[in-house]
Amino acid sequence: MLLIKLGLRNILRNKRRTILAALAISLGLTSLILTDGIMIGMSQSLVRLVTSSFLGHAQINAKNYRDAFEVDKSINNLAATTASLNNEKTIQSFALRTQTLAMLSSASNVSNIVLFGIQKEKEMGISMIKQSLLQGSLENLSDQGVIIGDQLAQKMEIGLGEKLIVTVAQVGTGELSQEMFKVEGIFSFNAKEMDRGIAFISLSSSQRLLNINNRVHSIILKFKNILDSSNLKSPFWKKYSAGGNEALSWRQISPGIDSMIEMGKYSTAIIAAILFLIVVLGIMNTIFMSLHERTFEFGVMRAIGSRPGKIILLILTETSLLGIFSIVIGVIFSLFSGKLLSMYGLDYTGIELGGVTMQEPLYFVYETSQFIIYPICIYFFTLISGIYPSIHAAKITLVDAMKKSL
Amino acid sequence: MEKMVPTFEVTNLSKVYGKCEQTKVKALKELSFKIMPGEFTAIVGPSGSGKSTLLNIMSGLDYPSEGMVHLAGQDISHMSGNELSDYRRDHIGFVFQAYNLIPVLTVKENVEYILQLQAVNANQRKKRVAQILEEVGLAGFEKRFPMEISGGQKQRVAVARAIVSNPDIVLADEPTANLDSKTGVELVAMMSKLNETHGTTFIFSTHDPTIMERSKRLIVLKDGQIVKDQ
Ligand SMILES: Nc1ncnc2c1ncn2[C@@H]1O[C@H](COP(=O)(O)OP(=O)(O)OP(=O)(O)O)[C@@H](O)[C@H]1O
Ligand SMILES: [Mg+2]
């Protein structure tokens, strides 16, 4: 009780210094929480971007299909697999696709691209093809229609309603098969490789072109909760990686994004370490400054019979109170600025990050843990910064301390 | 004497400052004397004669180079840090030249602080603090902070704090040095009165001749040696 009274009065003694120190600590805390929230926001938005634009949360392919995308490696036991997927509680929807290398020729140019056969209704719930269309519509994609990227259209000097020839090698025989398609849609994913290098036709047309009957190359999955697709330990993956197939999460399909997110965590940790260091050094300096002025006072306390431990306790109580005070301010700051950032976000749209282009601003994502773990860390770091100065103050030689008065 | 106050006994006390031969200062040279219970003793002498050094060692703020200091039969020259803290807390009252008080505590809290260190219960603390503040003429100033009272009043608070715990001895190093001579004389008169009413032993150092007159015993130091004791 006496300690708290003394501590409280001492930190209120030099109000300006206390407020400045508390501001420094609370700004440190705020930056930590905001960095963390923005990083989570960025990861989530990257994941959303990657998975929702085209890849899906997960895919099922024939085993080793993704090594070279060979057209003859189509999914095994398709009927049984889709029947089973229909009963999966975690799966919201899925779509079938074929995928093949193809050559597009227009009157003026030739392009080698990757041609996807898609189920137009099912794709709407899974990918952003529909949302990415600049012209045309996905619903009206006909049997002889093709959707291409805006950059490809530019290169081929072709527009909506014009025709081009699609050439593919048929599965099994390797014979070339050619058909005329009409451009029925032009999309832009804001990603060079996709906008220049892929095209979509209907699933049935592609199966006809490739001569593969009802076979497909990929099942694109959408989970009800994206976290289920990130959890590589879930039994789901094992269950569908059987009978010559393999089920892969977005984390395995797009390891680049996964490692970017991991890197994001690293940078949060580095920023945290730097901030903690600044907080510690800043507080130590403040405490030392105030202790220097109070040498005589500690001398008196020691002289009249306070043990050194009491002095240490007093200074730690003071830093403790300073820490609590700063945390309260910091949490209020963070709630307020986090609220603003989660409403308006940081506008990074259009900036390409590791091959994908940010489609939405970076939002701050609240997590309760941010407001528990970081304040506790800051509190302990504040306390730790008080230890060295307090031991220093407790160790003063009394005779020297008393001489300060002369 | 209501209370059995033991003798303060200083034997062959020497203090040497500095380690290397050239800078060595012999501040005290084989001093021996006894302080009897209830004494009111002034230590005087020119500047640099060793008054502060002697008081610091007697109060356990500093260690002697040689010799022994006994209080209440206990040898304090070989005590550890915490033992010395407790020794000061339980046996000694302090008055310093200046900045005696804890600035964030009020007059009453400053006096009460030492009783809290001794874990005296709240009721008793209240009673004793009120009584002692009355005696030093500071009733009505309880809630003031040290910043809000005069130098003479601050020294009275310091004396009140020194005596409130009923120490064996009150040590005061130039308690009047920062006061004008009238206030200084008043302070010593008050200490003298407390010495009579409480029987507390007082030892203080001073330069001021008017104050020396009021002491009952005078120890005169010169160059670390006692040249007169009367
Ligand atoms: N820490 C120290 N290191 C070296 N010498 C010291 C130290 N403290 C005191 N001295 C020396 O010891 C001698 C006695 O000093 P002391 O402070 O005890 O004198 P004093 O009688 O209290 O003087 P004053 O009346 O000026 O307060 C002086 O010569 C002083 O220079
Ligand atoms: Mg002196």
Side-chain angles (χ1 to χ4, degrees):
Chain A
M1 224 23 245
L2 177 66
L3 265 180
I4 292 177
K5 182 164 79 184
L6 273 170
L8 206 57
R9 286 188 193 169
N10 275 325
I11 71 162
L12 291 176
R13 193 153 136 196
N14 193 330
K15 291 200 184 66
R16 182 170 24 177
R17 180 159 58 206
T18 303
I19 287 172
L20 282 176
L23 271 182
I25 302 170
S26 53
L27 286 180
L29 176 60
T30 309
S31 340
L32 258 179
I33 294 180
L34 290 188
T35 308
D36 189 70
I38 293 280
M39 283 294 177
I40 296 176
M42 190 181 86
S43 318
Q44 289 189 355
S45 127
L46 270 176
V47 171
R48 222 172 12 243
L49 188 66
V50 167
T51 57
S52 68
S53 61
F54 189 65
L55 276 180
H57 292 167
Q59 296 195 12
I60 299 174
N61 311 110
K63 202 165 178 3
N64 299 330
Y65 168 73
R66 301 197 69 84
D67 295 349
F69 300 101
E70 290 164 74
V71 277
D72 53 348
K73 285 191 175 164
S74 54
I75 289 186
N76 301 296
N77 312 320
L78 183 62
T81 308
T82 54
S84 163
L85 281 173
N86 276 326
N87 293 325
E88 277 308 328
K89 285 198 182 67
T90 53
I91 297 293
Q92 185 177 319
S93 62
F94 60 92
L96 308 179
R97 283 183 198 161
T98 62
Q99 179 176 347
T100 176
L101 289 174
M103 192 177 73
L104 298 192
S105 357
S106 68
S108 50
N109 218 334
V110 176
S111 259
N112 288 313
I113 55 135
V114 179
L115 182 69
F116 290 92
I118 56 170
Q119 297 176 293
K120 51 187 185 183
E121 283 84 18
K122 294 247 171 115
E123 282 291 340
M124 286 180 213
I126 284 185
S127 66
M128 302 258 279
I129 299 174
K130 183 177 144 98
Q131 289 87 333
S132 307
L133 282 179
L134 304 173
Q135 300 174 43
S137 77
L138 185 58
E139 292 94 327
N140 298 332
L141 182 65
S142 72
D143 211 35
Q144 290 303 126
V146 63
I147 297 176
I148 62 175
D150 58 345
Q151 295 197 32
L152 185 60
Q154 216 168 18
K155 187 181 166 203
M156 306 283 296
E157 294 171 28
I158 200 168
L160 199 68
E162 295 185 62
K163 295 195 167 153
L164 41 71
I165 293 167
V166 176
T167 312
V168 302
Q170 288 194 335
V171 173
T173 61
E175 263 174 61
L176 293 185
S177 126
Q178 271 191 340
E179 270 186 41
M180 178 94 85
F181 282 83
K182 193 167 87 178
V183 177
E184 291 185 347
I186 293 178
F187 67 81
S188 168
F189 277 113
N190 271 321
K192 258 183 275 163
E193 275 139 60
M194 291 175 86
D195 296 343
R196 203 164 36 197
I198 63 174
F200 303 109
I201 58 175
S202 73
L203 185 68
S204 51
S205 313
S206 73
Q207 286 165 334
R208 183 181 69 232
L209 259 177
L210 288 168
N211 193 24
I212 53 175
N213 300 321
N214 287 326
R215 284 180 282 155
V216 301
H217 295 118
S218 322
I219 305 174
I220 314 297
L221 304 170
K222 182 170 185 177
F223 285 72
K224 286 179 182 140
N225 182 349
I226 189 163
L227 292 179
D228 287 327
S229 69
S230 315
N231 175 14
L232 297 180
K233 293 197 183 103
S234 139
F236 180 88
W237 312 110
K238 232 190 187 138
K239 180 172 171 193
Y240 288 93
S241 300
N245 292 336
E246 72 185 334
L248 296 172
S249 141
W250 64 267
R251 296 180 59 185
Q252 295 154 304
I253 297 170
S254 256
I257 298 298
D258 199 34
S259 52
M260 258 174 74
I261 290 168
E262 287 301 314
M263 242 168 64
K265 284 180 193 158
Y266 255 133
S267 43
T268 310
I270 290 169
I271 291 172
I274 293 172
L275 284 173
F276 281 137
L277 203 68
I278 291 174
V279 166
V280 167
L281 292 178
I283 300 171
M284 252 193 213
N285 180 48
T286 316
I287 298 173
F288 264 122
M289 258 162 53
S290 82
L291 294 193
H292 188 72
E293 290 165 14
R294 291 162 62 193
T295 310
F296 192 81
E297 192 180 322
F298 292 128
V300 172
M301 293 177 80
R302 291 274 286 108
I304 65 174
S306 306
R307 290 180 170 199
K310 202 116 201 176
I311 307 287
I312 295 182
L313 267 182
L314 173 63
I315 295 167
L316 290 184
T317 309
E318 288 174 27
T319 36
S320 206
L321 289 167
L322 179 67
I324 291 169
F325 181 49
S326 312
I327 284 167
V328 172
I329 301 179
V331 166
I332 293 171
F333 275 177
S334 311
L335 284 171
F336 185 72
S337 44
K339 180 86 196 158
L340 284 181
L341 277 178
S342 63
M343 272 159 56
Y344 301 110
L346 294 174
D347 198 354
Y348 275 103
T349 47
I351 292 175
E352 213 173 287
L353 250 177
V356 285
T357 312
M358 302 307 290
Q359 310 273 19
E360 45 185 337
L362 284 183
Y363 288 107
F364 175 84
V365 177
Y366 277 104
E367 275 186 5
T368 323
S369 64
Q370 292 161 344
F371 291 86
I372 296 171
I373 292 170
Y374 290 123
I376 290 177
C377 287
I378 287 276
Y379 176 77
F380 278 108
F381 273 90
T382 311
L383 207 56
I384 286 170
S385 12
I387 291 176
Y388 176 56
S390 68
I391 291 174
H392 182 83
K395 268 195 181 153
I396 44 168
T397 22
L398 281 171
V399 193
D400 293 346
M402 306 322 275
K403 276 224 176 77
K404 286 257 160 71
S405 68
L406 300 176
Chain B
M1 203 93 315
E2 327 81 70
K3 177 171 149 195
M4 176 57 203
V5 186
T7 319
F8 211 130
E9 193 171 357
V10 174
T11 335
N12 282 328
L13 181 68
S14 292
K15 177 73 181 177
V16 181
Y17 287 115
K19 293 218 167 70
C20 72
E21 281 303 321
Q22 290 90 349
T23 59
K24 251 188 191 170
V25 180
K26 279 198 151 187
L28 297 176
K29 298 167 190 162
E30 304 198 347
L31 293 191
S32 295
F33 61 91
K34 286 180 188 170
I35 303 286
M36 300 310 286
E39 274 190 21
F40 194 71
T41 302
I43 297 177
V44 298
S47 188
S49 56
K51 303 184 294 292
S52 298
T53 306
L54 176 61
L55 284 173
N56 284 341
I57 292 172
M58 285 168 74
S59 56
L61 294 178
D62 202 357
Y63 290 96
S65 304
E66 263 170 71
M68 282 188 293
V69 179
H70 280 92
L71 178 75
Q74 276 177 285
D75 180 8
I76 66 161
S77 37
H78 296 104
M79 283 185 177
S80 74
N82 276 344
E83 280 172 338
L84 273 179
S85 291
D86 295 350
Y87 160 81
R88 288 195 298 267
R89 181 192 67 198
D90 297 333
H91 299 284
I92 296 193
F94 274 102
V95 182
F96 305 99
Q97 184 177 326
Y99 312 115
N100 257 312
L101 306 176
I102 300 168
V104 294
L105 295 182
T106 62
V107 165
K108 173 182 154 278
E109 287 164 346
N110 260 290
V111 178
E112 195 181 5
Y113 181 79
I114 186 149
L115 297 179
Q116 283 173 309
L117 287 182
Q118 291 181 336
V120 175
N121 72 48
N123 263 340
Q124 277 225 310
R125 285 204 308 258
K126 215 171 146 184
K127 230 166 65 191
R128 271 158 70 181
V129 171
Q131 186 201 333
I132 211 82
L133 283 176
E134 179 79 50
E135 274 184 78
V136 299
L138 283 175
F141 288 83
E142 290 87 350
K143 295 242 162 68
R144 301 257 193 121
F145 283 93
M147 291 270 286
E148 303 164 345
I149 57 177
S150 73
Q153 288 167 334
K154 273 187 231 180
Q155 290 305 70
R156 283 164 187 252
V157 179
V159 173
R161 180 191 59 199
I163 205 166
V164 74
S165 57
N166 280 327
D168 295 317
I169 191 160
V170 173
L171 293 168
D173 192 7
E174 306 202 37
T176 61
N178 280 14
L179 307 175
D180 62 60
S181 66
K182 185 172 160 275
T183 320
V185 170
E186 279 170 13
L187 186 78
V188 175
M190 187 195 81
M191 292 187 343
S192 167
K193 204 176 128 211
L194 290 170
N195 165 253
E196 271 153 28
T197 52
H198 290 253
T200 314
T201 316
F202 276 80
I203 303 183
F204 56 97
S205 69
T206 182
H207 282 297
D208 193 334
T210 51
I211 289 168
M212 296 176 203
E213 284 164 20
R214 295 187 162 264
S215 65
K216 293 163 193 161
R217 178 179 174 192
L218 210 57
I219 296 179
V220 184
L221 279 187
K222 195 168 178 244
D223 295 332
Q225 284 171 309
I226 297 176
V227 292
K228 205 156 101 187
D229 188 349
Q230 64 189 34

